[in-house]
């Protein structure tokens, strides 16, 4: 289970993508730290990958060399992706999230496409998220996506006010930092913490792509062990990160 949070902001003509970097086996044992968002400066845009670790560089390279523009990949990925998956024998579940600017439709967009009908790691068997399509069917996403979904009790404990596509960039960056920290501390139905390593924030505009670290947990997360986040005091965390003790962002 990879944290993949996306905010499409037509108002600011920007795309924000926040991913974690933990790579692990199906039991949640940490194997390493890898970036999970493949940037494509030429579009500009990128591909976020959930599932097999090797899929990020392999499919990122293949797809960006196959398509010169974001509109091209949106139009043709359903046709070419099955052969790429077969050629590289990527048999386990992979989820690709495409983000970029459509010249034909005039703005920033996000899409999802799956390679199997398998249940992703960390998702209860027999269930799928509301936005997951059938294999190799491209589906457009809403402007705000938080994945995995944060349990309600953590949202309440953290006094989280939610994300908005109209948030100012500095406010949104702070909120996204809080989102992935909540995801890190969530225990999902399998009783495992899945979010770790570090949190990378990619900001995409028509002018280019910038990236930064929102959080760095590598001193806590040990290779060969399961992720065990340090206890968090949410009121103290909120104040330290520019939030009031309640749910409103200072200056927001």
């Amino acid at each position: 289970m990879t944290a993949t949070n996306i905010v499409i902001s037509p108002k600011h003509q920007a795309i924000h993508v926040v991913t974690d970097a933990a790579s692990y086996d199906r039991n949640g044992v940490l194997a390493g730290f890898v970036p999970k968002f493949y940037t494509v400066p030429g579009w500009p845009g990128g591909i976020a990958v959930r599932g097999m670790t090797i899929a990020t560089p392999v499919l990122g390279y293949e797809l960006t060399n196959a398509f010169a523009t974001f509109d091209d990949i949106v139009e043709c990925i359903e046709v070419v992706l099955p052969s790429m998956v077969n050629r590289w024998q990527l048999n386990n579940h992979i989820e690709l999230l495409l983000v970029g600017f459509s010249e034909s439709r005039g703005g920033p967009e996000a899409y999802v496409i799956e390679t199997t009908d398998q249940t992703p790691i960390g998702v209860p068997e027999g269930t799928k998220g509301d936005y997951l399509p059938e294999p190799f069917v491209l589906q457009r996403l809403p402007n705000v996506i938080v994945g995995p979904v944060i349990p309600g009790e953590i949202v309440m404990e953290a006094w989280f006010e939610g994300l908005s596509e109209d948030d100012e960039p500095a406010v949104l960056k702070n909120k996204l930092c809080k989102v992935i920290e909540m995801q890190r501390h969530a225990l999902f139905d399998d009783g495992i913490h899945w979010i770790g390593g570090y949190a990378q924030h990619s900001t995409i505009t028509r002018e280019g792509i910038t990236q930064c670290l929102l959080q760095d947990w590598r001193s806590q997360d040990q290779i060969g062990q399961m992720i065990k986040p340090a206890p968090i005091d949410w009121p103290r965390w909120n104040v330290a990160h520019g939030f009031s003790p309640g749910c409103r962002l200072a200056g927001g």
Side-chain angles (χ1 to χ4, degrees):
M1 180 184 291
T2 292
T4 307
N5 305 298
I6 300 174
V7 178
I8 304 291
S9 179
K11 175 181 177 180
H12 298 290
Q13 287 294 290
I15 303 166
H16 298 266
V17 179
V18 173
T19 54
D20 78 311
S23 175
Y24 33 68
D25 65 18
R26 293 196 69 90
N27 296 314
V29 176
L30 196 61
F33 310 121
V34 295
K36 300 177 183 179
F37 184 65
Y38 191 96
T39 60
V40 189
W43 288 350
I47 303 171
V49 180
R50 303 169 89 175
M52 299 178 69
T53 301
I54 189 62
T56 302
V58 168
L59 293 180
Y61 177 83
E62 287 261 348
L63 289 168
T64 54
N65 276 274
F67 301 108
T69 71
F70 180 70
D71 282 340
D72 288 342
I73 193 171
V74 169
E75 181 179 355
C76 300
I77 190 171
E78 292 180 344
V79 176
V80 303
L81 185 59
S83 62
M84 291 181 182
V85 168
N86 289 334
R87 183 165 66 255
W88 289 96
Q89 298 183 357
L90 302 174
N91 300 320
N92 293 332
H93 180 82
I94 300 168
E95 177 182 293
L96 302 178
L97 295 104
L98 316 176
V99 298
F101 287 84
S102 169
E103 295 305 320
S104 63
R105 291 174 293 279
E109 298 176 343
Y111 294 84
V112 63
I113 189 168
E114 309 281 320
T115 63
T116 77
D117 58 5
Q118 298 172 15
T119 301
I121 291 177
V123 175
E125 194 66 35
T127 65
K128 295 181 75 174
D130 292 338
Y131 66 87
L132 299 185
E134 295 303 311
F136 301 112
V137 175
L138 189 69
Q139 180 169 308
R140 187 166 176 176
L141 294 171
N143 284 350
V144 178
I145 285 289
V146 172
V149 175
I150 303 164
E153 60 270 21
I154 291 184
V155 174
M156 295 296 291
E157 289 173 7
W159 288 93
F160 183 59
E161 63 179 355
L163 299 169
S164 169
E165 64 190 67
D166 295 328
D167 283 331
E168 293 299 316
V171 173
L172 183 57
K173 180 179 179 179
N174 220 17
K175 287 185 179 181
L176 286 166
C177 181
K178 189 171 184 178
V179 164
I180 202 162
E181 193 68 53
M182 289 190 294
Q183 290 169 327
R184 174 172 169 80
H185 282 82
L187 267 177
F188 296 95
D189 287 353
D190 47 22
I192 296 175
H193 294 286
W194 291 104
I195 311 307
Y198 56 84
Q200 184 179 59
H201 179 202
S202 304
T203 304
I204 304 156
T205 67
R206 292 184 184 277
E207 287 71 44
I209 303 170
T210 60
Q211 293 182 298
C212 68
L213 289 185
L214 282 184
Q215 298 283 60
D216 193 340
W217 308 295
R218 283 172 288 187
S219 62
Q220 299 178 37
D221 298 345
Q222 302 300 310
I223 305 298
Q225 300 181 20
M226 299 178 73
I227 295 171
K228 296 179 180 178
I232 191 166
D233 181 331
W234 280 113
R236 180 175 296 178
W237 191 98
N238 282 335
V239 171
H241 290 81
F243 294 86
S244 68
C247 64
R248 296 194 61 80
L249 183 66

